[in-house]
Structures are given as C-alpha cells and as structure tokens.
Amino acid sequence: MPYRPKKMERQVVGGILRRFRNWLPRHGAGPPQDNLGEVVKEPERAQEHCLPNFAGGQHFFEYLLVVSLKKKPSGDDYEPTITYQFPKRENLLRGQQEEEERLLGAIPLFCFPDGNEWAPLTEYPRETFSFVLTNVDGSRKIGYCRRLLPAGRGPRLPRVYCIISCIGCFGLFSKILDEVEKRHQISMAVIYPFMQGLREAAFPAPGKTVTLKSFIPDSGTEFISLTRPLDSHLEHVDFSSLLRCLSFEQILQIFASAVLERRIIFLAEGLSTLSQCIHAAAALLYPFSWAHTYIPVVPESLLATVCCPTPFMVGVQMRFRQEVMESPMEEVGDEKDILPPKLQEDILESLGQGIKGSQSYFQQKILEYEERKKQKKPKEKTLK
C-alpha cells in the first residue's frame, strides 16, 4: 500500500514548490557562481533551513583567518596551520578561551579537507566554498573560504582566506572574499583596514546597503557597497549547482530521502560544487530543517563519519570515493512512495518552468556546445 504523506510532509512539499518557483525565474538562465542551530523567526515567518536569520545590526563576522600549508618536521607531508588571525581576542574567561581553541583547532582541517599530500604549484584555480561547524549547544558557525595561490613567482602552495560568521548570506560573503583577494595581491597589510571597517559596520537589514570606505595604494580611496537581497528568504543558498549537476528526478529523490531521514552522501571533485549542492539540498526541507549530522565538506581525517548508522547529510570529494563506497550503504527504493504521483508531476512542472527539458539548463548548454564542436570539425579539416 503506498505511503500517504502526513500534514507535516505536505507542508514540506509545499515549501519546495514555493522555493523553486521563487528562485527559478531569477536564476534559471544565469551561470553558476562561486559562491546551520535553531530556526529563528523573521517577522511573520520562520527562517528556512537551519541557518539563523538576522534583521540587521549584528557584526558581519567573528574572525578572518589565513590558513597556510606548513611542512611537518618529519616527512614530506604538509599540515594546514593558521598563520593570520583577526581580531586577536584577549582577556577571555577560561571557558571562552577553551571554546575558541576548539574552534580554531578545527578550522584548518576544513580549509584543506583534501588531505596533506600537496606540492608547490605554479597554477591553481581559485575555489570558493563553505563549511559548517556545530557547537556543543547546537548553534552553528559558517566558514566562508577562498582558496588560491598567494602572489609571487615560481612554485608555491595554496592559501585559504576564511571568514567565520554565524550569519548565512553566501552571496554577500563571496563579494567580501573578492575584496580580500584583491587586497591580498598587494599586501596583507592592506587587508587589515578593510576588515576592521567591516567589523565596525553593522550587518544591514534585508534590502539595505552598507557602504565601506577603503584605501588601496596606487588606486586611492574606494567605496564598497554591500547589499542584502530584499527577500532574505533565499540569500543563504544557491540552487544553480544542484540544478546543473542533477536531473529533476534525482533532486526529487534526494528531497524524499531527506524527508525520510536517510543517510545521504554527495560526491563531487570541486569544493565549490560540493558545498553549494549540499546547502541547496538541505534547504529543500523548508519550513523544516535538517537536524542530524550535517557536514558540507568532510575532511579526509573524518571520513569515518560515513560509517555512522544514524541519519546524515555529508559531502565527500570524489578522490575519496573508494573509501566511501566501502561503507555499508544501500538505496531503500521507497523514495517515490512518499510523494503521490500527481504531486511529483506538479514539482517537476514547477522545476521545468524556469529550465527547459528534463535536464538542467546548464547540462543542456553543455550538450549543445559539444554538438556544435562536432559539427565544426569536418569544416576545419577541409580548410587545412
């Protein structure tokens, strides 16, 4: 006998329909971009997912950290280490100091989740990704990361700029990381006044803008405007990577698995893709939130998490696929039963309103591009 959704599950399904209808008209045709606690209520509605929402007035961030790779005393491996911290906190109580030490001790692992086997490089594509750290009291902090090669010549090791905040606003912090990256090309000393000004500024309310004044050598004084979306409902998530990587049917299967509180593993090579997809998948549960283990990017040293018998939603880099596949997991196969066929059709139709075909807009464009390349090949040979 097919499973009949209860009232709570119908609310969740209504949430996913509303989310995609709101998001797709604005983002369906756009390119993918580099770019979680208790549910906190906004005026007249609850904040989706499990990232806290802020009306404005709070600090933008708690820390700016630079995490670099340092060679271990023994062997050829490297160890991620915090080499810069702003602000430096002093006169902390014993409990606060212990909490800070735990937080700062965990961050380097998540900035370099792909292990310690690195070698100096001359080229490295920048990556923007995020991770989530859960405190003992259940509150969560988000790490917004930009990994790139430092300025210089010759082979060198990548470095990570990491902003720790309890605010979920990925688009805004991606722009802040752009400014940090621009200044890091000049000097670390140029980053400090910018971040100091940012820390002194109040986090804007939805739809509002905060303007920062910043001086850059050889460029003069710049005014940087940071604007929050008017609808803060979707500011902490970007669906483009999820729609680019998965078919609509696969997204429905992930949604049903999350509602059924299953163990869900996302596999991708790029850290940006991995973190964006898992944040988007968890956001589908609105107005409810994922209350179990949630690790958008699992460091190599924590891969044993996938052996946990309780529900989890984690992201693992493709290079660790073999280790993950060895853990005892299987597809139950009842995911389609939680949604009535008519409701599934409505969701697929809603997804299709913003993106043509059964595949995502981005997948279609890639296929069209490859087809055009094939058609051009004979002409190129004739010209030669």
Side-chain angles (χ1 to χ4, degrees):
M1 187 173 181
Y3 181 86
R4 297 184 181 278
K6 298 178 182 177
K7 181 179 178 181
M8 182 179 75
E9 289 156 0
R10 290 198 298 270
Q11 290 177 330
V12 175
V13 174
I16 183 177
L17 279 167
R18 287 192 297 274
R19 291 182 76 81
F20 276 112
R21 281 172 182 157
N22 290 337
W23 185 86
L24 283 170
R26 293 177 298 182
H27 301 277
Q33 299 178 0
D34 272 350
N35 305 20
L36 249 115
E38 298 288 330
V39 175
V40 179
K41 290 187 178 180
E42 285 185 304
E44 301 183 356
R45 73 180 179 194
Q47 168 67 10
E48 72 290 350
H49 194 16
C50 42
L51 282 171
N53 181 23
F54 292 87
Q58 291 78 14
H59 286 302
F60 268 87
F61 67 98
E62 294 186 17
Y63 296 101
L64 167 67
L65 305 169
V66 178
V67 180
S68 306
L69 290 168
K70 300 294 182 182
K71 206 163 192 176
K72 291 182 177 180
S74 59
D76 296 328
D77 288 347
Y78 291 88
E79 183 177 19
T81 306
I82 295 175
T83 54
Y84 177 84
Q85 174 187 334
F86 172 80
K88 289 278 189 182
R89 297 195 173 180
E90 299 176 351
N91 302 321
L92 294 176
L93 298 176
R94 182 176 178 181
Q96 294 174 323
Q97 188 173 359
E98 290 175 353
E99 182 182 349
E100 183 185 64
E101 288 174 357
R102 283 195 298 268
L103 174 67
L104 298 181
I107 289 171
L109 287 176
F110 288 90
C111 290
F112 287 92
D114 26 19
N116 301 327
E117 296 180 2
W118 286 86
L121 305 166
T122 54
E123 293 183 2
Y124 183 81
R126 73 173 190 176
E127 290 187 285
T128 303
F129 60 98
S130 59
F131 60 84
V132 176
L133 297 174
T134 305
N135 294 325
V136 177
D137 61 0
S139 62
R140 292 175 175 176
K141 299 182 188 294
I142 308 119
Y144 301 95
C145 299
R146 175 70 54 82
R147 193 158 77 178
L148 41 72
L149 284 183
R153 295 182 178 179
R156 50 207 186 279
L157 292 163
R159 172 189 293 170
V160 174
Y161 289 89
C162 178
I163 299 174
I164 302 297
S165 176
C166 56
I167 299 171
C169 193
F170 295 106
L172 202 62
F173 280 96
S174 180
K175 186 173 181 180
I176 293 171
L177 286 169
D178 289 341
E179 296 296 330
V180 171
E181 179 182 354
K182 181 167 70 175
R183 285 159 177 76
H184 115 280
Q185 302 290 350
I186 304 170
S187 168
M188 284 295 297
V190 185
I191 296 176
Y192 173 81
F194 169 71
M195 296 305 292
Q196 180 64 36
L198 185 66
R199 184 163 176 79
E200 293 172 356
F203 189 68
K208 301 298 182 181
T209 299
V210 61
T211 302
L212 303 176
K213 184 178 179 181
S214 177
F215 177 79
I216 298 181
D218 300 328
S219 298
T221 301
E222 290 187 354
F223 292 90
I224 302 153
S225 296
L226 300 172
T227 305
R228 281 184 75 186
L230 184 60
D231 182 7
S232 63
H233 204 192
L234 293 171
E235 67 181 344
H236 74 281
V237 66
D238 182 358
F239 286 104
S240 60
S241 288
L242 191 70
L243 292 166
R244 174 168 51 90
C245 297
L246 301 176
S247 67
F248 297 158
E249 288 76 11
Q250 288 171 325
I251 292 174
L252 269 184
Q253 185 177 12
I254 289 172
F255 165 69
S257 298
V259 171
L260 291 167
E261 298 181 309
R262 298 281 164 76
R263 293 180 292 167
I264 305 170
I265 299 176
F266 288 80
L267 288 168
E269 189 54 47
L271 295 174
S272 301
T273 300
L274 198 57
S275 63
Q276 285 182 19
C277 283
I278 193 169
H279 284 306
L284 297 178
L285 290 174
Y286 173 78
F288 303 100
S289 61
W290 182 258
H292 305 286
T293 302
Y294 180 77
I295 311 177
V297 181
V298 179
E300 182 183 18
S301 57
L302 298 180
L303 285 176
T305 304
V306 301
C307 298
C308 178
T310 57
F312 59 70
M313 189 181 295
V314 300
V316 177
Q317 285 185 284
M318 193 65 77
R319 67 186 67 188
F320 303 127
R321 183 176 183 273
Q322 191 60 39
E323 291 91 325
V324 170
M325 298 307 291
E326 290 174 358
S327 61
M329 292 188 68
E330 60 181 16
E331 185 179 335
V332 179
D334 62 347
E335 291 83 6
K336 292 184 179 180
D337 297 335
I338 193 172
L339 298 178
K342 180 64 172 68
L343 200 50
Q344 292 187 44
E345 292 175 7
D346 289 344
I347 294 176
L348 291 173
E349 182 181 352
S350 178
L351 290 169
Q353 287 176 358
I355 301 176
K356 296 179 181 180
S358 60
Q359 292 180 312
S360 75
Y361 174 89
F362 304 98
Q363 289 172 317
Q364 280 190 328
K365 291 300 179 185
I366 291 171
L367 291 173
E368 291 172 5
Y369 174 73
E370 291 177 347
E371 187 62 31
R372 287 197 299 269
K373 281 176 63 179
K374 289 179 183 177
Q375 292 173 357
K376 286 181 180 179
K377 281 184 179 180
K379 294 181 181 179
E380 291 175 357
K381 288 181 181 178
T382 305
L383 289 171
K384 288 178 181 178

